[in-house]
Amino acid sequence: MKFYKVVIAAFIGTLIALLINFFVKIGVISSFIKNASKDTEVATTVKPNSVLYMKLDYEIADRTSENKFAGIDFNTMESKDVTGLNQILNNIEFAKTDANIKGIYLELSTIPTSTATLQEIRNKLIEFKESGKFIVAYGENYSQSAYYLATAADKIYVNPEGMVDLHGMASQVMFYKHLLEKLDVEMQIVRGPNNRFKSAVEPYFLDKMSDANREQMDKLLGSVWGEILASISQSRNISVEQLNQIADQMETFSDAQKAMEYNLVDGLMYKDEMLAELKDLTGSNKINAVPNAKYADSYTLENGSKNEIAIIYAEGQIFDGKGQEGNIYSEDLSKTIRKAREDENVKAIVLRVNSPGGSAVASAIIGHELDLAKEVKPVIVSMGNYAASGGYWISANGDYIFADPTTLTGSIGVFGTFPNLKGLLNDKIGLTFDVAKTNENADFGNFTEPLTEFQYAKLQQMVVKTYDEFTGRVAEGRGLRQSYVDSIGQGRVWSGIDAIEIGLVDQLGDMEDAIAFAAERAGISNDFKVVEMPKQKDFMTRFMEQIGGGNNDLDAAMRQKLGTYYHYYEGIENLSNNTGIQARMPFDMVIQ
């Protein structure tokens, strides 16, 4: 009887705790929405002598989320600006001619965002300087990525006790071989004969990079680092050779004075001195700093044109079927492409790809829908940080492909992974299984037994067939011989600069270049407006997802908690998702 009392008491206590947590969460969210609404009302008016304030200390998505909760840390209930690339570029463009904006203030430290995104922002900032308005950058410290962006400014300042961390680029790969051995898990890997560089499966059976993978990474890193050095060299008038020497010796690590001596920065300032400098630049006794998110509410880019260029965002890993925002799902994205194809007002499509790939079947489904759209209107591709493997599959047949110089693309290859958990389940946990079946291979796909030779051969046949379809699609879309595509494929990852030379990309350029080209191809250069697709979820849908605590909430929480170490968590999580036939680049490759 006592046992049941304890169980009932525990149940009631848990239920009460859940109810309290639910209502507290409702109250806090309601308060946040109310305050956010007030902030939006205030932000619609930009005062004279204001500065556009950019603190880009987060992973910048291609598109600004309309989710009111996107920037909330539910542990602290604090909100931060998480404006997407599209809105950042719009803000800089509008600020050029906004009489109330005197300049841009960049407060930078660490930016956990890939180089291609920063390159698009940097190019837009340099374009902004043609207006004659100022750009100043300030940091307590500068990470390498933050400093790269800061070099677009007229003046760069750092805290006297800070540093400029210029050290070069490296790629770290996490390997699972010994972990799987300890767990007694066998990852059964199926690769085609021509996947020399398809290194996504190497972590399962190696404990370091293969020679082929190291070869491609050396080439890739050299290309990206060369682009960064060339940009810094031009902006700061420092030779590439000297920059490499500074990086090799870490000359400015924890030494702000040396950063100034080497002309990496223009001055050493504490925050109060930086604020005084801003007052002088704006000619005001009070600094009116307008953050990205609030500035976006102060203007509208709408026009009355009936001609539309549809930007379709394809961001994240590629999965089959339907799913939540944050990744690419074949059914959801196909529906969006179909809608744009059938809309007579949409005269051209710009597919914005920022994906390392994923399901080969899903990639083929999306590619087919894009083929149908291409038959009736121009389809122009704009590649962001990644457009690799499945991301390149859906891009390959576009009418024209733009990439940033540091875009990671290519990775034309296919593999399959099928875990055998028999050792873990039998020997480690103590679970055994038995099966009754009508046919010899009726239990195919069962993770409790290893693949038979026949089953492995069937999977190998499927991988070879899928790779042939992949290279055939690229050959057709790019006007190349399939044998040549195989020679530059085999899973190899290329930078945007190198992809131009080998024919995988048509032109270096950003999303704005792609939009302008699409309008020209559609014959509407002087009369069009941009619409963004897919339509983002409404408030109530998002609200219910937040209350339900969906996977996106957990993922966002882990991102906030782990920061720059999030990729380790992501790699472990993908161990369970990365099964079946895949067209993707290494999910745990980190360039820093």
Side-chain angles (χ1 to χ4, degrees), residues 352-549:
R352 174 65 174 190
V353 181
N354 199 344
S355 172
S359 165
V361 172
S363 300
I365 291 170
I366 294 167
H368 173 71
E369 198 64 48
L370 286 165
D371 291 343
L372 296 177
K374 184 181 173 183
E375 292 176 3
V376 295
K377 58 191 66 176
V379 175
I380 310 303
V381 176
S382 170
M383 294 179 170
N385 295 318
Y386 307 93
S389 212
Y392 189 78
W393 189 316
I394 66 176
S395 304
N397 208 28
D399 289 299
Y400 204 79
I401 300 177
F402 287 86
D404 290 306
T406 57
T407 294
L408 303 187
T409 189
S411 191
I412 301 167
V414 182
F415 65 90
T417 57
F418 300 86
N420 171 22
L421 305 181
K422 183 175 182 178
L424 171 66
L425 296 174
N426 291 6
D427 302 331
K428 303 293 186 183
I429 300 178
L431 296 175
T432 59
F433 300 84
D434 202 355
V435 62
K437 55 186 180 180
T438 60
N439 295 81
E440 188 173 349
N441 292 289
D443 60 341
F444 173 67
N446 187 346
F447 292 162
T448 62
E449 292 289 339
L451 294 168
T452 66
E453 290 186 11
F454 174 81
Q455 291 167 350
Y456 185 89
K458 281 293 182 182
L459 290 170
Q460 179 76 11
Q461 182 182 346
M462 176 183 274
V463 167
V464 171
K465 177 177 178 292
T466 304
Y467 180 69
D468 184 67
E469 291 171 353
F470 194 171
T471 54
R473 177 174 179 79
V474 174
E476 179 183 359
R478 302 302 302 161
L480 302 170
R481 297 188 313 276
Q482 190 168 1
S483 59
Y484 172 74
V485 174
D486 173 55
S487 72
I488 61 173
Q490 302 179 28
R492 183 160 188 167
V493 182
W494 303 90
S495 70
I497 292 176
D498 293 332
I500 287 279
E501 296 180 3
I502 61 176
L504 295 181
V505 169
D506 292 299
Q507 184 176 330
L508 296 178
D510 54 27
M511 188 154 52
E512 290 188 342
D513 295 321
I515 293 169
F517 186 89
E520 181 181 348
R521 182 65 67 91
I524 56 172
S525 295
N526 299 318
D527 180 26
F528 71 93
K529 64 181 178 181
V530 172
V531 296
E532 297 184 330
M533 302 176 75
K535 183 179 179 181
Q536 298 192 54
K537 294 179 180 178
D538 60 48
F539 170 76
M540 282 307 299
T541 301
R542 294 182 183 280
F543 178 77
M544 294 309 296
E545 285 181 355
Q546 292 292 334
I547 295 301

Side-chain angles (χ1 to χ4, degrees), residues 70-91:
I72 300 179
D73 183 339
F74 281 101
N75 293 312
T76 64
M77 295 315 298
E78 293 180 350
S79 177
K80 64 186 295 184
D81 190 341
V82 289
T83 305
L85 176 64
N86 61 338
Q87 198 64 69
I88 292 171
L89 298 179
N90 286 341
N91 285 352

